[in-house]
């Protein structure tokens, strides 16, 4: 059974954390060069794979005693908040993909898939998704919220990233995501202490 509350919380946290990431900018670059639907298909498939791996890792954590899981997720959330607060501007460069010879679906979606597969492996949002899966012990709801958030950011990056960045400062998005992670980290540590 899917918990809409858990799905919504995960969506919000992952969405805000992914917005200032380099993959949103990479999606924007790919979306301006190639057919948006082809780019999105490849990017969406790569994000789905990353979420499945993160949820599986987080589900394994639920086998540990709850106090240890709360302490571990609390520390990881605090670390994620620190990483977001220390990054300058939220994006650490553009990823470059060689232009395919033609605009075929398989070449364009394959380029998007490989870019995200490599760029997102071990990324903050993947680690955060694993933490959320461990925290809520609801892999389906966490996976759904995370994949929908990542797809939404990818869609925004591919279709309307420039317009969004003109209206909402990237620093503000980064700070809101960091504050949410800080709150989740402190809450998890409180649960670990109070047992």
């Amino acid at each position: 059974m899917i918990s809409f509350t858990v799905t919504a919380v995960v969506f919000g946290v992952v969405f805000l954390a992914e917005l200032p990431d380099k993959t949103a900018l990479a999606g924007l670059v790919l979306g301006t060069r190639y057919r948006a639907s082809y780019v999105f298909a490849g990017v969406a498939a790569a994000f789905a794979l990353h979420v499945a791996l993160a949820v599986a890792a987080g589900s394994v954590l639920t086998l540990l005693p709850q106090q240890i899981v709360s302490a571990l997720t609390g520390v990881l959330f605090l670390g994620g908040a620190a990483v977001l607060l220390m990054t300058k501007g939220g994006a650490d460069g553009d990823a470059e993909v060689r232009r395919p010879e033609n605009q075929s679906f398989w070449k364009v979606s394959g380029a998007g898939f490989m870019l995200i597969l490599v760029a997102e492996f071990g990324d903050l949002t993947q680690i955060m998704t694993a933490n959320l899966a461990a925290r809520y012990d609801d892999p389906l709801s966490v996976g759904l919220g995370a994949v929908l958030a990542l797809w939404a950011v990818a869609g925004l990056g591919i279709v309307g990233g420039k317009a969004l960045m003109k209206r909402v400062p990237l620093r503000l998005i980064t700070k809101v995501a960091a504050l949410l992670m800080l709150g989740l980290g402190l809450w998890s540590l409180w649960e670990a202490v109070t047992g």
Side-chain angles (χ1 to χ4, degrees):
M1 182 90 181
I2 294 175
S3 166
F4 292 107
T5 304
V6 171
T7 301
V9 167
V10 171
F11 179 91
V13 170
V14 172
F15 182 86
L16 287 171
E18 187 64 22
L19 263 181
D21 195 55
K22 64 188 173 294
T23 52
L25 294 174
L28 176 98
V29 170
L30 288 172
T32 60
R33 294 171 134 183
Y34 309 113
R35 183 178 284 181
S37 60
Y38 292 4
V39 173
F40 184 78
V43 167
F47 275 134
L49 178 60
H50 276 288
V51 167
L53 293 172
V55 168
S59 296
V60 169
L61 288 176
T62 62
L63 300 175
L64 296 172
Q66 187 58 40
Q67 281 185 300
I68 293 173
V69 171
S70 293
L72 182 62
T73 58
V75 168
L76 290 172
F77 274 128
L78 292 176
V83 167
L84 282 177
L85 289 172
M86 288 189 290
T87 52
K88 296 194 186 275
D92 50 27
D94 295 312
E96 189 65 40
V97 173
R98 287 194 331 193
R99 185 181 181 97
E101 297 277 323
N102 61 38
Q103 295 278 329
S104 76
F105 173 80
W106 293 111
K107 289 200 181 228
V108 173
S109 63
F113 180 85
M114 290 308 296
L115 172 70
I116 298 302
L117 189 69
V118 172
E120 285 291 307
F121 202 80
D123 192 59
L124 179 64
T125 51
Q126 189 178 32
I127 294 167
M128 193 179 345
T129 301
N131 288 340
L132 290 164
R135 174 168 176 64
Y136 290 113
D137 195 17
D138 187 354
L140 190 57
S141 299
V142 170
L144 181 63
V147 82
L148 289 176
L150 293 168
W151 288 354
V153 171
L156 283 172
I158 292 167
V159 176
K162 276 187 183 171
L164 177 68
M165 296 305 171
K166 285 181 184 175
R167 299 183 198 284
V168 181
L170 196 55
R171 280 186 204 268
L172 176 64
I173 294 167
T174 302
K175 286 184 181 183
V176 169
L179 287 174
L180 281 172
M181 290 181 70
L182 180 66
L184 284 168
L186 292 173
W187 181 261
S188 294
L189 290 175
W190 176 256
E191 285 182 339
V193 171
T194 60

